[in-house]
Amino acid sequence: MPPTPQRRRLARRLAAGAAVLATAAGVTLTATAPPAGADSGRAHRPAGTVDVQLLSFNDFHGNLEPPQGSSGTVEELQADGTKKTVPAGGVEYLAQSLRTARKGHPYSVTAAAGDMIGASPLLSGLFHDEPTIEAMNKLGLDVTSVGNHEFDEGRTELTRMQRGGCHPKDGCYEKGKTFQGADFPYLAANVTDDRTGKPILKPYTVWQHKGVKIGFIGVTLKGTPDIVNADGVKDLTFHDEVATINKYAKVLDRQGVKAIVALIHEGGLPASTSYNYDCDSPGPGAGISGPIVDIAKHVSPQVDALVTGHTHQSYTCTIPDPAGHPRTVTSAASYGRLYTDTTLTYDRRTHDIVRTAVHGPHATNHVVDRTQPKAPDMTSLIARWNKLAAPVANKPVGYISADINGRGAGTPEEPLGDLIADAQLAATQDAGKGGAQLALMNPGGIRSDLAYKASGAEGDGVVTYAEAFTVQPFTNMTNVVDLTGAQLLAALQQQVSGPNEASPKVLQISRGLTYTLDMTKQGAARVVTDSIKVAGSPLDPAKTYRVAMNEFLAGGGDGFPALKQGTNKYVGPSDLDALTAYLTAHSTPTSPLAPPKADRITLLK
């Protein structure tokens, strides 16, 4: 979910490090010296081949410090069928994991599938994600695609992330230091400038080391304009993922680059939430659904592996390409909790990746566990930026009696979602402040949980400004609009129909609104119309209601065109200010706020 215009960024020159040689259509990366060690090929590797280690991750979202609550854990399936929760994530551990994994692999490349920045915790977001780009440079990221969140603050700020330069409004954060930008290329093959018709960043790059060449093509989901603010994607066109990848696969092939990996910021939904679930049981790719399945089935056989993201899920699947050859499709969850290690067997004779049942790419997801040593340079980086953030970050804004789960709730209605909706209602319900009667919140805008356990020295149960920022990092302004009962009904139906039918986006609702959601039915029929009540009275299609929501939803974002029909708009405080004000007003150290019951939506399934 996007930020407000006041958090926009500007750009400078397109940086190319000494290891990056720009070409007319792409970028060539020459690998730096790898760690010492023999070629660690698998047993019985075909003659004339070398194994290339592809390390990948996705959806980091500026989580430099270990994420709190369920956002900082992964689920591990045990041999006896039980599941174990494992703490994971934090860039100190991610960097250490990647560096350890590279040992003994002369051919190793690290790639990502977008959303490295955006929707970030305060430590990164307060500084327009410069700390995250710096961390990615240090841990050796070679290339990434853009994701939808790279456009949160607009094209010019994305360009600044690539090229460097100080923020146009906030300036340079450290005396005598200018932000250097990303040492790695951001790839945006399917995002073109409406004026020139050309990609706004490089469409592809070629990594090479000791005669081995691997091309990387980077795309974000075609639907990016539907899930970011219109200002962030103004004068840009987002093209079909498959058509774009196939186009540049041909370009690379004509340049003699036969080994190709696609970095795709679009993903799937595995049948299990366990990171080590066998996606290929009972058959190739049988355990995954969602947009990536159709993409994988149509991307050219010239592409040898797909690194994906966006859904924040973990999977390593084998989905046959259009020619019937096995091809890996991977995703490493989110927030740096996992990384994927894929072995690509490169044939020096054909210059291509061997893809057979025996010698084809093999991928495994690994936990970024917190029992290993921390990477010292990342510890120093975090300490340096924390010192700058401390005056703002450590301020207490409220008190809670237990975890209030948001993204980690695992249910359509989240306790934290109810809290946020209540906060927006409270901020706008007075007649002179919008006169709201109810509030709606999109679930994708809730980026974390509120954890009872202290993240620092503030004490258990204390909610700091930094923790509230992590939950609501976009600083969207609240809007209050007039909606008829018919329009409100249409919005509720759009949660589970149209673009949202396959993967529902259930709005979080404030007190005063209740209804039943029947998931045994299809499409709009899932909303039980005669169950909808506002302040205890049945919804009247002809009546006008004052409804609060963030500006992203008010613009029809996330597949809610009915909300865009609102009139008589009033602009209230930012969503973050509404949340912190609510926490302060409704909690004290001796009377902390308890988690809402999350009983406003009756779910039938």
Side-chain angles (χ1 to χ4, degrees):
M1 198 175 71
T4 48
Q6 59 261 44
R7 298 182 65 200
R8 304 293 178 213
R9 313 175 182 181
L10 197 59
R12 72 167 176 85
R13 57 170 180 79
L14 185 54
V20 180
L21 305 175
T23 66
V27 178
T28 299
L29 299 178
T30 303
T32 54
D39 189 352
S40 58
R42 287 171 288 166
H44 310 298
R45 188 179 64 232
T49 65
V50 295
D51 280 349
V52 177
Q53 178 189 58
L54 170 61
L55 301 176
S56 59
F57 58 99
N58 50 276
D59 296 273
F60 184 73
H61 290 291
N63 277 262
L64 298 170
E65 296 178 298
Q68 278 201 298
S70 61
S71 296
T73 64
V74 293
E75 184 180 88
E76 185 176 75
L77 189 63
Q78 305 298 297
D80 62 0
T82 60
K83 296 177 180 179
K84 178 183 177 182
T85 299
V86 182
V91 78
E92 294 161 297
Y93 303 107
L94 177 61
Q96 187 70 19
S97 292
L98 295 174
R99 290 164 181 168
T100 300
R102 291 174 188 140
K103 291 179 180 178
H105 292 270
Y107 301 86
S108 184
V109 57
T110 302
D115 277 7
M116 295 297 98
I117 59 173
S120 304
L122 183 135
L123 179 59
S124 186
L126 185 65
F127 305 106
H128 299 279
D129 281 314
E130 291 181 19
T132 293
I133 297 298
E134 181 184 347
M136 293 298 107
N137 288 343
K138 287 179 178 292
L139 64 73
L141 182 60
D142 289 304
V143 57
T144 184
S145 69
V146 294
N148 55 288
H149 281 283
E150 264 80 20
F151 293 90
D152 278 352
E153 296 193 41
R155 170 187 177 175
T156 54
E157 179 64 353
L158 169 58
T159 309
R160 188 178 77 91
M161 291 294 97
Q162 178 72 85
R163 298 177 176 178
C166 296
H167 190 269
K169 180 180 177 182
D170 296 337
C172 298
Y173 295 109
E174 297 177 284
K175 186 176 181 180
K177 288 188 178 181
T178 300
F179 174 56
Q180 295 300 303
D183 291 343
F184 51 90
Y186 260 113
L187 304 182
N190 68 329
V191 187
T192 58
D193 184 307
D194 288 347
R195 182 178 59 84
T196 66
K198 295 180 179 180
I200 61 168
L201 294 170
K202 299 296 182 180
Y204 65 83
T205 187
V206 179
W207 176 89
Q208 59 183 8
H209 181 60
K210 294 184 179 179
V212 173
K213 294 182 180 180
I214 298 178
F216 288 88
I217 302 167
V219 299
T220 186
L221 70 155
K222 182 182 178 182
T224 292
D226 300 327
I227 52 177
V228 301
N229 260 342
D231 284 347
V233 293
K234 186 178 180 181
D235 300 324
L236 301 178
T237 296
F238 291 75
H239 301 270
D240 181 76
E241 304 94 336
V242 171
T244 302
I245 293 169
N246 291 349
K247 170 186 174 180
Y248 285 105
K250 291 178 181 177
V251 171
L252 285 166
D253 184 73
R254 287 196 296 267
Q255 294 180 7
V257 179
K258 308 295 183 181
I260 302 172
V261 174
L263 307 176
I264 309 172
H265 191 71
E266 179 59 291
L269 301 169
S272 170
T273 53
S274 299
Y275 80 89
N276 55 340
Y277 161 72
D278 183 2
C279 185
D280 293 336
S281 178
I288 189 172
S289 59
I292 200 61
V293 176
D294 189 58
I295 290 173
K297 289 180 177 178
H298 291 90
V299 164
S300 168
Q302 291 175 307
V303 176
D304 299 296
L306 278 58
V307 175
T308 74
H310 187 55
T311 58
H312 290 207
Q313 302 298 307
S314 56
Y315 47 83
T316 57
C317 304
T318 303
I319 301 177
D321 68 20
H325 300 140
R327 182 163 59 189
T328 60
V329 180
T330 67
S331 175
S334 60
Y335 304 156
R337 294 173 292 163
L338 300 174
Y339 72 91
T340 310
D341 190 335
T342 303
T343 301
L344 303 173
T345 300
Y346 183 90
D347 189 326
R348 288 190 177 278
R349 180 181 58 84
T350 64
H351 309 294
D352 206 348
I353 303 300
V354 177
R355 283 203 284 133
T356 66
V358 177
H359 298 291
H362 174 75
T364 304
N365 275 332
H366 298 277
V367 179
V368 177
D369 70 86
R370 300 183 199 160
T371 61
Q372 63 186 312
K374 298 178 180 181
D377 58 337
M378 296 300 170
T379 302
S380 297
L381 180 149
I382 289 171
R384 197 177 91 243
W385 288 102
N386 261 331
K387 185 176 181 180
L388 290 173
V392 174
N394 297 336
K395 178 184 176 183
V397 296
Y399 305 86
I400 57 177
S401 64
D403 288 354
I404 303 181
N405 289 328
R407 292 183 80 86
T411 53
E413 183 182 358
E414 305 166 359
L416 187 52
D418 285 0
L419 172 61
I420 290 170
D422 285 350
Q424 293 186 15
L425 175 61
T428 57
Q429 64 184 353
D430 289 352
K433 297 181 179 180
Q437 297 166 272
L438 59 109
L440 306 173
M441 175 64 196
N442 59 310
I446 304 169
R447 304 308 300 183
S448 184
D449 305 333
L450 280 180
Y452 176 78
K453 183 177 175 59
S455 60
E458 74 275 12
D460 290 347
V462 180
V463 181
T464 64
Y465 183 82
E467 290 166 344
F469 185 100
T470 298
V471 170
Q472 294 260 263
F474 300 103
T475 320
N476 278 280
M477 306 309 290
T478 54
N479 288 182
V480 185
V481 297
D482 285 346
L483 288 174
T484 65
Q487 291 168 331
L488 182 56
L489 171 60
L492 294 177
Q493 292 173 333
Q494 286 163 2
Q495 303 174 106
V496 289
S497 63
N500 293 333
E501 180 166 4
S503 182
K505 290 187 173 72
V506 178
L507 295 168
Q508 308 300 289
I509 57 178
S510 67
R511 62 182 183 276
L513 176 61
T514 59
Y515 72 97
T516 297
L517 197 57
D518 187 351
M519 297 305 290
T520 67
K521 297 183 178 179
Q522 300 298 314
R526 291 168 166 171
V527 177
V528 181
T529 304
D530 59 8
S531 72
I532 306 172
K533 293 185 178 181
V534 179
S537 299
L539 181 72
D540 183 348
K543 185 177 179 179
T544 296
Y545 298 89
R546 293 290 285 166
V547 184
M549 65 195 79
N550 61 56
E551 61 185 314
F552 173 67
L553 271 181
D558 267 354
F560 290 96
L563 299 179
K564 196 174 183 179
Q565 298 170 10
T567 58
N568 193 23
K569 181 171 72 174
Y570 172 86
V571 179
S574 74
D575 50 11
L576 177 60
D577 286 347
L579 176 61
T580 57
Y582 188 87
L583 288 168
T584 300
H586 290 82
S587 67
T588 66
T590 56
S591 182
L593 189 67
K597 295 180 179 178
D599 57 0
R600 298 164 188 178
I601 303 173
T602 300
L603 186 67
L604 303 178
K605 58 181 180 179

